[in-house]
Amino acid sequence: MGKYMWTMGPLPWGAMDERPADKAHDDDWINNVVKYMTADSDQSYWKFNNQLSNFLKDFKVNKLLVDMYDVKRFKDEGVMAAVEKVAKVMKEKFPDMTFGIYTNEMPSTKDGRDLSMVFFFDDMAWLGEDPKFVQAYEEMYGQDSWKDFMKEWGETTDGKQSELWIFDPELSGLGADVKAMERQ
């Protein structure tokens, strides 16, 4: 709470090598950004998973529910198999819901931010709605399949942290527009 986030991208790793030196930018960064960073500041490099995400239409970033999961050591394959099931339900049963699945490119075994599911929405009332996900999951995978999923999820994750993020256009250099596009 009360923190700001600096984001950059999407871009490939090679773009970090191509950034030209710019003294004015570097001075601005040091004088107007670094001095406000706190000792507990950290960085994450999130990789978007196009196959598991649902960005079918253009939208404007407004509010985000960011669920971050701590994946148990050596359980990446298992957790991704479970995420594939969730994404299938989301895409087929809730096709208008915009969400993204991200994996941390440089995860830590200490911070609990290995996998993220981000929901993009406009009205806080959305948080109080019951989408009946468990019912939709069992319609797709069979009666009592949710219990099996929860067992599998418990075997692959250690916990979850949720955050609400609000886009502030006055503090952003980028606009709120997200354009849907075909990806390979």
Side-chain angles (χ1 to χ4, degrees):
M1 186 168 147
K3 292 184 180 181
Y4 294 98
M5 180 181 302
W6 170 63
T7 61
M8 184 171 76
L11 48 89
W13 283 107
M16 302 288 222
D17 297 325
E18 297 168 5
R19 183 181 164 271
D22 182 346
K23 183 171 176 13
H25 175 273
D26 294 344
D27 289 346
D28 179 65
W29 185 258
I30 290 167
N31 295 321
N32 297 312
V33 177
V34 172
K35 69 181 183 179
Y36 295 107
M37 294 175 141
T38 61
D40 68 341
S41 295
D42 60 7
Q43 61 190 16
S44 296
Y45 295 94
W46 292 100
K47 182 177 181 179
F48 176 69
N49 186 311
N50 182 54
Q51 304 302 338
L52 299 177
S53 301
N54 195 40
F55 282 65
L56 295 177
K57 60 185 179 208
D58 296 349
F59 67 97
K60 290 186 180 295
V61 173
N62 186 350
K63 296 172 184 67
L64 299 84
L65 172 61
V66 181
D67 292 331
M68 291 172 277
Y69 298 92
D70 185 10
V71 177
K72 290 182 180 179
R73 292 179 75 189
F74 314 114
K75 298 293 184 175
D76 294 339
E77 284 184 37
V79 81
M80 292 312 291
V83 170
E84 287 176 15
K85 293 176 188 174
V86 169
K88 181 176 170 65
V89 173
M90 293 296 298
K91 288 179 179 184
E92 291 185 23
K93 301 289 187 175
F94 308 98
D96 294 330
M97 192 173 294
T98 303
F99 67 91
I101 304 291
Y102 302 83
T103 52
N104 193 336
E105 289 282 90
M106 295 185 185
S108 166
T109 58
K110 298 176 184 177
D111 71 5
R113 292 181 298 191
D114 303 315
L115 169 73
S116 183
M117 187 166 196
V118 179
F119 296 92
F120 299 84
F121 64 99
D122 291 320
D123 301 310
M124 288 296 212
W126 175 83
L127 293 168
E129 296 174 10
D130 180 1
K132 307 258 188 265
F133 180 82
V134 174
Q135 178 182 338
Y137 188 94
E138 291 195 345
E139 285 174 8
M140 183 168 288
Y141 294 109
Q143 187 172 352
D144 295 326
S145 58
W146 183 248
K147 290 178 189 174
D148 294 335
F149 173 83
M150 292 305 294
K151 182 176 185 278
E152 180 181 358
W153 194 250
E155 292 170 352
T156 58
T157 63
D158 272 330
K160 170 185 169 183
Q161 173 181 326
S162 295
E163 297 178 358
L164 284 175
W165 296 353
I166 299 173
F167 177 77
D168 186 338
E170 291 182 28
L171 296 175
S172 179
L174 297 174
D177 294 324
V178 175
K179 301 291 183 193
M181 60 187 342
E182 289 292 320
R183 295 182 190 256
Q184 303 299 324

